[in-house]
C-alpha cells in the first residue's frame, strides 16, 4: 500500500469519515499531540502507531490497557508490531476503524431512478403533489366501490384528507431523520415514494373485491390484502431508509421490521376478537365492484333483476320436467 486510508467507524446509517495518510507514519490516540485524535474514553492517550516500511504498512500497539482487536482477534502483547493489509478491521476501545489502500475497490455508484426527476427545479414540488392527488383519487374510488352505493363527497373528502395528513406526516418524519443523520432531508423524494405506495395500497383495496368475486372466499381476499400490503409497506420502508440513511441490506431490514409489525398487529387482533361469532362469515360480493361504476343500476335494482332471472330459470326447469 503506497498510501493508507483509515475509515472511522462502520456507521452504515450515516456518512463515514476518511483519513488519508500521506506521511510515512501516523499516531492514533486520545492525546491531542496524535495525528489522529479519538475522543473515545476507552482509547489510550497513545494507542497505536502506523509506519511504512519496504514490506508495507505496519501497526504497533503502544498500550494494552484495553484489548486491541484486529479482524476480531486480540493483539498479543508479546507481538505488538505486525504488518497490516487493505480491508483489515481494527477496534480500539469502542471505536471501529477500517484500514484501506488507496486502490481499494469502490462500490458501484447507485443510480437514481425516479428521484432524478425530483432534481428538476420546476418538477420537484409538482411530482409529489400529483402523486399524492393520485393516491387520494384511487382511495376515493376504492371506498366508493366497496362501501358506497352512491357518491358521498363528504366521506370521500375526509378519507382523502386522512391520506394527505398520513402521507405528509410519514414523509416528514423520514425527511427529518435524513436531515439529522446525514444533513440531506430529501423532502420531495420522501413524499413521492410515500404517495406512490399509498396509491398502490388504495389500488389493492380496489382489486380486493375482484379476488373475493372470483374465489368466492373471504379467506383468499384476506390473504391477498395482507400479502400485498406487507410487500408494499416493506418497499416503502426500504426507500425511506435509502434516502434517510446509508444502511446496508435495506431490503432485509425493511422486511424484518415489517414482519415484526405484522406479527404484533396480528397477535393484537387475534387476542381481541371473540371466540364465538353470532353470524357465519361468507362472501357477500355478488358482482364485480366496477359494475357499480359503469352502470346506473342500484344494488336493490340489481337484486330484483337477479331474482327475476332465477324465476325464469326455475320456470324453464319446471317446463323441462313436465315434458
Amino acid at each position: 500500500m503506497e498510501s493508507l486510508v483509515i475509515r472511522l467507524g462502520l456507521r452504515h446509517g450515516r456518512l463515514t469519515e476518511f483519513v488519508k495518510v500521506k506521511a510515512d507514519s501516523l499516531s492514533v490516540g486520545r492525546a491531542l499531540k496524535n495525528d489522529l485524535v479519538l475522543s473515545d474514553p476507552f482509547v489510550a492517550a497513545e494507542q497505536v502507531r502506523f509506519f511504512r516500511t519496504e514490506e508495507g504498512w505496519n501497526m504497533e500497539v503502544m498500550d494494552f490497557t484495553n484489548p486491541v482487536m484486529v479482524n476480531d482477534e486480540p493483539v498479543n502483547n508479546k507481538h505488538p508490531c505486525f504488518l497490516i493489509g487493505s480491508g483489515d478491521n481494527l477496534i480500539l476501545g469502542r471505536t471501529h476503524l477500517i484500514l484501506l489502500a488507496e486502490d481499494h475497490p469502490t462500490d458501484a455508484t447507485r443510480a437514481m431512478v425516479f428521484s432524478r426527476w425530483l432534481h428538476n427545479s420546476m418538477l420537484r414540488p409538482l411530482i409529489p403533489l400529483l402523486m399524492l392527488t393520485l393516491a387520494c383519487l384511487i382511495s376515493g374510488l376504492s371506498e366508493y366501490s366497496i362501501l358506497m352505493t352512491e357518491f358521498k363527497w363528504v366521506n370521500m373528502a375526509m378519507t382523502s384528507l386522512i391520506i394527505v395528513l398520513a402521507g405528509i406526516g410519514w414523509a416528514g418524519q423520514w425527511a427529518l431523520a435524513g436531515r439529522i443523520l446525514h444533513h440531506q432531508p430529501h423532502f420531495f423524494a420522501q413524499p413521492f415514494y410515500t404517495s406512490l405506495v399509498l396509491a398502490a395500497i388504495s389500488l389493492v383495496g380496489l382489486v380486493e373485491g375482484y379476488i373475493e368475486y372470483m374465489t368466492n372466499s373471504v379467506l383468499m381476499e384476506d390473504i391477498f390484502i395482507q400479502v400485498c400490503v406487507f410487500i408494499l409497506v416493506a418497499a416503502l420502508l426500504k426507500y425511506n431508509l435509502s434516502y434517510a440513511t446509508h444502511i446496508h441490506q435495506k431490503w432485509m431490514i425493511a422486511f424484518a421490521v415489517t414482519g415484526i409489525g405484522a406479527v404484533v398487529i396480528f397477535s393484537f387482533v387475534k387476542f381481541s376478537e371473540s371466540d364465538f361469532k353470532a353470524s357465519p362469515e361468507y362472501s357477500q360480493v355478488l358482482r364485480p365492484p366496477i359494475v357499480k361504476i359503469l352502470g346506473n343500476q342500484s344494488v336493490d335494482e340489481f337484486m330484483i333483476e337477479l331474482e327475476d332471472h332465477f324465476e325464469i330459470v326455475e320456470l324453464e326447469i319446471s317446463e323441462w320436467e313436465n315434458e
Side-chain angles (χ1 to χ4, degrees), residues 8-277:
L8 301 178
L10 290 175
R11 300 172 67 190
H12 293 316
R14 304 180 65 175
L15 293 174
T16 53
E17 299 177 11
F18 291 85
V19 176
K20 188 173 184 179
V21 184
K22 295 183 178 180
D24 292 332
S25 64
L26 175 80
S27 60
V28 180
R30 201 157 35 87
L32 298 180
K33 65 180 181 179
N34 289 288
D35 299 312
L36 178 57
V37 180
L38 303 177
S39 59
D40 189 341
F42 298 96
V43 173
E46 298 179 5
Q47 186 65 71
V48 297
R49 182 175 70 93
F50 297 98
F51 59 93
R52 181 162 46 187
T53 64
E54 294 181 356
E55 296 179 352
W57 281 91
N58 293 263
M59 186 180 80
E60 181 181 4
V61 179
M62 312 293 291
D63 190 295
F64 285 92
T65 302
N66 290 317
V68 175
M69 310 289 289
V70 176
N71 296 328
D72 297 327
E73 295 291 336
V75 176
N76 192 334
N77 56 7
K78 296 181 180 180
H79 302 90
C81 187
F82 50 90
L83 194 68
I84 59 173
S86 181
D88 285 349
N89 289 271
L90 175 63
I91 298 179
L92 306 176
R94 291 182 178 175
T95 302
H96 197 124
L97 307 178
I98 298 179
L99 311 177
L100 302 169
E102 61 181 354
D103 58 351
H104 190 83
T106 305
D107 294 338
T109 304
R110 290 165 52 191
M112 296 184 294
V113 184
F114 296 106
S115 59
R116 69 176 61 184
W117 301 340
L118 300 174
H119 289 271
N120 187 314
S121 58
M122 296 181 61
L123 299 177
R124 181 187 279 183
L126 184 61
I127 292 178
L129 182 62
L130 290 176
M131 187 56 63
L132 191 59
T133 303
L134 178 63
C136 293
L137 291 175
I138 296 177
S139 175
L141 184 62
S142 174
E143 183 179 10
Y144 169 70
S145 67
I146 297 173
L147 303 176
M148 301 179 184
T149 57
E150 58 184 12
F151 279 108
K152 296 181 180 179
W153 299 106
V154 176
N155 294 347
M156 297 175 69
M158 289 297 297
T159 302
S160 299
L161 179 61
I162 292 173
I163 289 177
V164 170
L165 294 177
I168 293 176
W170 179 270
Q173 289 180 357
W174 282 103
L176 179 62
R179 179 67 180 85
I180 294 173
L181 292 176
H182 61 91
H183 310 291
Q184 295 180 2
H186 292 290
F187 184 73
F188 293 104
Q190 292 287 8
F192 171 77
Y193 284 105
T194 302
S195 302
L196 181 65
V197 172
L198 286 175
I201 291 176
S202 299
L203 193 60
V204 169
L206 188 61
V207 174
E208 65 173 316
Y210 293 99
I211 301 299
E212 184 178 348
Y213 176 77
M214 290 186 295
T215 62
N216 197 31
S217 171
V218 177
L219 177 61
M220 291 301 299
E221 178 196 16
D222 290 341
I223 293 175
F224 171 78
I225 294 174
Q226 291 170 12
V227 171
C228 289
V229 171
F230 178 86
I231 294 174
L232 290 171
V233 171
L236 174 60
L237 189 56
K238 183 266 179 184
Y239 282 106
N240 291 146
L241 290 171
S242 297
Y243 284 100
T245 72
H246 290 287
I247 294 175
H248 293 300
Q249 298 178 332
K250 301 177 184 67
W251 276 115
M252 185 180 71
I253 295 174
F255 274 108
V257 173
T258 307
I260 293 172
V263 169
V264 171
I265 295 174
F266 179 79
S267 301
F268 176 78
V269 171
K270 278 297 181 183
F271 281 117
S272 60
E273 70 179 7
S274 175
D275 295 334
F276 173 76
K277 294 183 179 180

